[in-house]
Amino acid sequence: DTEVTQTPKHLVMGMTNKKSLKCEQHMGHRAMYWYKQKAKKPPELMFVYSYEKLSINESVPSRFSPECPNSSLLNLHLHALQPEDSALYLCASSLAGALDNEQFFGPGTRLTVL
Amino acid sequence: KQEVTQIPAALSVPEGENLVLNCSFTDSAIYNLQWFRQDPGKGLTSLLLIQSSQREQTSGRLNASLDKSSGRSTLYIAASQPGDSATYLCAVNTGGFKTIFGAGTRLFVKA
């Protein structure tokens, strides 16, 4: 299984809502990533988990809260978002600690904040 | 600070043409470079990964080269097809899981 899955595919939420994005992989990868991508821009790294521990937080606002409950799952909890947070949120995974850590991406969640 | 640039930003070619996409980076201290394809509104598909010790990688009609000393990589696509139309992104791994993406080249292959 060389697939990264993400749910939901689309999400529309108000600024006062609380929602979560989910990412799952069964490739035995121990590094998992969240990226944010705005239209016609490259992906921007948000968070990296390595062996279920937060390894990188790229100064992301606290209204985004990541969680890695086990080696196969990665969540992104959303609360009090702003309209400018509307974007495609991509999850990726790779072997941790390997120099050739090829990243595999999921299809993304298209988030719209009203 | 590592910066990744891709030229051209957009490219339109007739079907069957061979083409080259360019990626340059400012700091040669990279662990690897990865080429991706992205269709509109979709996730990224990994095409090729070149480790810092390698010069090139091939997969089917794709060939990627890496010249670390000059800070350049190229993606060669042979015999282009309309199905190759997509945005192609290069990304450099600077170590510690940090990945910096270029802005991409939007490719359109005309039938």
Side-chain angles (χ1 to χ4, degrees), chain B residues 95-111:
Chain B
F97 304 110
K98 281 222 171 189
T99 302
I100 310 295
F101 280 82
T105 293
R106 290 192 305 281
L107 173 66
F108 180 62
V109 181
K110 298 172 286 188

Side-chain angles (χ1 to χ4, degrees), chain B residues 22-79:
Chain B
N22 297 291
C23 172
S24 61
F25 45 96
T26 54
D27 186 347
S28 61
I30 67 170
Y31 280 78
N32 59 57
L33 185 146
Q34 195 168 354
W35 282 94
F36 294 91
R37 167 192 173 131
Q38 186 173 32
D39 294 292
K42 306 291 186 183
L44 279 66
T45 300
S46 177
L47 297 174
L48 290 163
L49 175 88
I50 311 178
Q51 297 185 42
S52 61
S53 59
Q54 297 176 321
R55 297 284 294 184
E56 66 177 290
Q57 284 282 355
T58 298
S59 176
R61 294 183 293 109
L62 305 179
N63 176 276
S65 68
L66 176 64
D67 184 344
K68 249 183 43 167
S69 61
S70 66
R72 290 193 294 188
S73 176
T74 61
L75 180 66
Y76 174 83
I77 302 177

Side-chain angles (χ1 to χ4, degrees), chain A residues 31 33 35 37 42-43 45 48 50 55-56 58 88 90 96-97 99-103 105-107 110, chain B residues 31-32 34 36 38 41-49 51 89 93 96-99 101-103 106:
Chain A
Y33 311 69
Y35 288 87
Q37 186 179 28
L45 185 64
V48 181
S50 173
S55 179
I56 294 178
E58 291 288 78
L88 182 67
L90 295 163
L99 293 179
D100 59 343
N101 55 336
E102 183 176 6
Q103 291 187 43
F105 280 77
R110 172 71 60 188
Chain B
Y31 280 78
N32 59 57
Q34 195 168 354
F36 294 91
Q38 186 173 32
K42 306 291 186 183
L44 279 66
T45 300
S46 177
L47 297 174
L48 290 163
L49 175 88
Q51 297 185 42
L89 296 150
N93 179 344
F97 304 110
K98 281 222 171 189
T99 302
F101 280 82
R106 290 192 305 281

Side-chain angles (χ1 to χ4, degrees), chain A residues 4-11 19-24 34 73-76 78 89 91 106-110:
Chain A
V4 177
T5 59
Q6 289 187 244
T7 54
K9 285 188 176 181
H10 302 276
L11 179 62
K19 297 285 184 183
S20 296
L21 309 185
K22 180 180 171 182
C23 173
E24 193 166 4
W34 280 117
L73 277 176
L74 184 67
N75 298 319
L76 186 62
L78 314 172
Y89 287 84
C91 173
T109 293
R110 172 71 60 188

